[in-house]
Amino acid sequence: MSNKCVVLGVTGGIAAYKSLDIVSTLVKQDIDVRVIMTKAATEFVTPLSFQSLSKNQVIVDMFEEPKSWEIQHISLAQRADLMLIAPATANVIGKVANGIADDMLSTTIMATKAPVVFALAMNTNMYENKIVQNNIDKLKNFGYEFIEPASGRLACGDIGKGKLEKVDIICEEILSRLYEKKDLVGKKVLITAGPTISPIDPVRYITNNSSGKMGYAIAKEARDRGAEVTLISGPSSLEAPIGINFIRVKTNEEMFKAVLSKFNDSDIVVKSAAVADYKAKNYSTEKIKKGDGGLNLEFIRDNDILKNLGERKKEQILVGFAAESNNLLDNAAEKLRKKNLDYIVANDITARDTGFASDFNKVYIIDAEGNTKGLDKMTKREVARELFDLINERR
């Protein structure tokens, strides 16, 4: 994204200091960030702080002598791939909604044809005011986009909706909008992630060693490429990705039902979850008390979700995962054949620096014709990108 430009408008709210983190995060993603501050914003944070982080001149005064011969609000309006107003106060919302352009920021917003996103932040009562809500609705009807405020304790001491959304969520949404590949627009992608659990008694269960990182990375990649994404996740410490239909489950049976409810309506299905293959034959409704000797438990096979989908599929592209400790390619190819898959992603779980809980993976992608593509160690997001590239090439 090194050629992408975000024009960040900072207005006069207490949350203005959080915009420094927005600049820092976007710059680390090679985004060219140009900052426009209202005069009120400079009462909270200095322009020098933004200039130091963005490595670009910060504009405040509309009538300041330009550093080069260009009309600055037109220049920035044309350069922007996206404009982000954060924090966006009731004042700037009201001005734009009513066509007032009396400073550099409001003038640039009026002049740009790039998408404009307002990240709202204000007092709860102001946010709920009918005039403000009417202005927001008016701008939405004009095609402007909004990141709603979060709830919590505000700087004024009130508790309610009005806090600027978390910086990482704002930046994730902006980076998603800027993502260059949009080849999944109009497609519905269903993804499973994480482990499932098989209860033994009210306090004990067996599970698989999965963090969910691979499935969540696949979901984000599909979302950023324009797909309508449903992510069905077993227990995981990861936060639900924004802009995704998120369904949390625990057991094999819960995941099976959730997947079946979405399967027929999906174009691409990626089963990256580490589903528990066995469950206790006899679940104890009471905690099993510790005795002097050992404990013998009998387990039986649970639903084979992937095989069931392979038998049901019609036009769907079905992708499975194979986590193996030996005979990686042979075992993965056999699984692809038995379960009627279009692709299988095979990874070696014995590798120390990739796989479970790691941010990295080293995999092979095998298709139904037997073609195999090996991927060297890369981030799980990069693996997801390679997977969808392959699917789109051969679709």
Side-chain angles (χ1 to χ4, degrees), residues 20 23 27 46-58:
L20 293 169
V23 174
V27 167
T46 66
L48 181 60
S49 299
F50 285 102
Q51 184 171 310
S52 299
L53 290 171
S54 69
K55 302 297 188 292
N56 287 315
Q57 176 196 0
V58 175

Side-chain angles (χ1 to χ4, degrees), residues 178-193:
L178 291 173
Y179 202 67
E180 292 179 347
K181 294 184 177 182
K182 296 295 180 184
D183 47 13
L184 292 178
V185 172
K187 299 297 180 182
K188 294 184 178 180
V189 179
L190 174 62
I191 298 156
T192 66

Side-chain angles (χ1 to χ4, degrees), residues 76 156 278 342 345:
L76 288 177
C156 61
Y278 295 89
D342 297 287
V345 182

Side-chain angles (χ1 to χ4, degrees), residues 353-364:
D353 57 345
T354 60
F356 292 130
S358 171
D359 292 326
F360 298 89
N361 220 337
K362 181 179 179 181
V363 306
Y364 294 90

Side-chain angles (χ1 to χ4, degrees), residues 49 90 95 105 110 113-114 157 164 226 272 289 304-305 321 328 384:
S49 299
K95 286 204 294 186
L105 179 56
M110 297 292 184
K113 291 186 178 179
L164 185 71
S272 65
K289 302 302 292 182
D304 189 330
I305 302 176
F321 271 68
L328 177 62

Side-chain angles (χ1 to χ4, degrees), residues 21-42:
D21 288 334
I22 294 175
V23 174
S24 178
T25 301
L26 294 179
V27 167
K28 288 176 183 176
Q29 296 296 321
D30 294 326
I31 302 295
D32 179 24
V33 182
R34 305 288 174 143
V35 179
I36 301 173
M37 301 179 70
T38 64
K39 288 187 178 181
T42 64

